[in-house]
Amino acid sequence: LVPIGLLVGIALSALLIWAMRSWSSTRAIVRQGLRRREYHLCYQPVIDLASGRIVGAEALIRWRRSSGEIVPPDIFIPAAEEAGIICAITGRVFDLLAEDASDVLRIEPDFHFAVNLSAADMHRSDIIADIHSLTERSGIPHAKLIVEVTERSVVDLERARETVHSLRRGGIAVAIDDFGTGYSSLAYLAQLDVDFLKIDKLFVHSLGTGSATNQVAARIIEMANDLNLRIIAEGIETRAQEMILRNLGVHYAQGYLYDRPLSLEDLLQRLRAQRAI
Ligand code: C2E
Ligand code: CA
Ligand code: CA
Ligand code: CA
């Protein structure tokens, strides 16, 4: 038997996707959500594979509508990008992080935070100022902020390179997210001078399967190590995957094996427990 709540949830999401098919209504729906403060952040811990400790977290946006329904970011982020309103969401993410970070830093002063940027963010002129304002308001040291960009978010390579350059000149770290899922990965990697590579869960899930994808994953890690990039693997769900990644020389790990994305309260709880050990 399918729970009725799930059916209602699916129906509401379908209705929302339908409503978001027009750009103007997407803009109206997102603006309403911002006005009603329906967005919040979850934090998924990042584990240092050498010590097994939580050293940072990725901020992931959540949208809980007044109906109680949770809309997954996979649905509303692409819609907001298309409707040209993603920068308003990024602005809210920065505001929320600025509010949340001090509680975390009080427990773990060396904690790092990762935020996700979209293409429009990478190509607008005020993004650097916004990020510097975020570090100032949040108290996150520049070296402890990681900006995650995907290949998808690089439309104008020249422009993206300038943004990455300015960020790194300011001491902020840059990661290429979902690495390997695009079609021009190697070319981008060679041209964008970044600090971290995030290996997509698609590759992590292929480890140990003897598939071609598995071999690609090993080569990506080898290449990243050759380029002196630090590697974060995401989507780790089993100890077997963890062991293979550690042996391949991956430094950081993120995945359900350790934690799902947590509420701020749950993250603080985890960090206090870790402190006590
Ligand atoms: P992403 O940046 O690649 O984030 C990782 C996604 O993988 C998250 O989904 C996370 O919950 C999920 N994940 C983590 N560990 C595991 C695991 O072990 N197994 C599996 N199967 N999944 C795992 P989430 O939170 O639903 O976010 C989906 C995507 O939405 C993100 O992918 C990102 O592209 C986008 N997104 C989320 N928050 C933001 C944001 O604040 N700004 C922007 N621009 N995009 C965001
Ligand atoms: Ca998800
Ligand atoms: Ca990400
Ligand atoms: Ca990713």
Side-chain angles (χ1 to χ4, degrees):
L1 214 74
V2 186
I4 189 82
L6 186 67
L7 285 179
V8 172
I10 291 169
L12 284 172
S13 295
L15 208 67
L16 185 79
I17 296 167
W18 179 81
M20 282 187 140
R21 284 202 306 193
S22 131
W23 290 1
S24 59
S25 61
T26 298
R27 283 191 208 108
I29 292 168
V30 168
R31 285 207 184 98
Q32 188 188 55
L34 289 170
R35 259 197 321 275
R36 292 181 176 171
R37 310 199 139 266
E38 292 176 353
Y39 298 91
H40 68 275
L41 294 178
C42 273
Y43 297 91
Q44 186 174 35
V46 173
I47 277 71
D48 177 358
L49 282 176
S51 65
R53 291 177 75 84
I54 301 173
V55 292
E58 176 178 9
L60 294 159
I61 195 166
R62 293 291 178 265
W63 182 11
R64 190 188 289 112
R65 306 201 69 208
S66 46
S67 57
E69 164 206 10
I70 308 260
V71 188
D74 291 331
I75 291 177
F76 71 87
I77 294 284
E81 284 172 343
E82 267 187 49
I85 196 168
I86 190 68
C87 300
I89 292 185
T90 303
R92 178 57 55 90
V93 169
F94 287 7
D95 291 346
L96 290 164
L97 181 56
E99 284 172 26
D100 290 352
S102 61
D103 287 344
V104 176
L105 293 173
R106 214 167 293 130
I107 303 173
E108 286 286 352
D110 280 339
F111 206 75
H112 80 245
F113 289 93
V115 292
N116 292 284
L117 288 194
S118 292
D121 296 310
M122 285 302 285
H123 298 86
R124 66 188 161 100
S125 54
D126 49 358
I127 186 66
I128 304 295
D130 284 0
I131 288 176
H132 284 267
S133 151
L134 166 65
T135 55
E136 219 161 88
R137 290 182 290 150
S138 63
I140 302 170
H142 285 198
K144 295 294 176 180
L145 184 67
I146 302 177
V147 169
E148 297 190 1
V149 303
T150 63
E151 294 166 71
R152 251 185 332 112
S153 61
V154 177
V155 179
D156 175 347
L157 184 59
E158 228 3 83
R159 200 63 199 279
R161 278 177 67 175
E162 274 170 34
T163 304
V164 168
H165 241 88
S166 318
L167 286 170
R168 297 195 66 218
R169 249 201 324 273
I172 287 156
V174 178
I176 296 198
D177 197 2
D178 298 344
F179 187 75
T181 58
Y183 50 87
S184 47
S185 313
L186 282 172
Y188 277 108
L189 186 64
Q191 303 224 33
L192 292 175
D193 190 17
V194 299
D195 306 272
F196 291 92
L197 202 77
K198 281 193 93 163
I199 301 198
D200 194 72
K201 43 184 173 279
L202 176 86
F203 291 108
V204 171
H205 296 168
S206 78
L207 294 172
T209 62
S211 65
T213 319
N214 174 36
Q215 292 181 29
V216 174
R219 295 306 291 272
I220 289 175
I221 293 165
E222 199 181 318
M223 179 197 65
N225 273 323
D226 287 346
L227 292 169
N228 283 323
L229 293 170
R230 281 184 284 170
I231 311 168
I232 308 170
E234 71 183 353
I236 298 177
E237 294 179 357
T238 68
R239 286 289 165 207
Q241 291 164 350
E242 176 189 71
M243 202 173 70
I244 296 172
L245 289 165
R246 193 189 277 121
N247 290 338
L248 286 170
V250 168
H251 312 93
Y252 302 103
Q254 207 179 329
Y256 295 167
L257 175 64
Y258 313 101
D259 288 290
R260 302 230 162 202
L262 305 174
S263 67
L264 175 65
E265 276 317 309
D266 287 345
L267 175 68
L268 295 173
Q269 202 54 47
R270 286 277 281 133
L271 294 179
R272 284 191 206 102
Q274 174 169 281
R275 271 258 105 132
I277 300 170

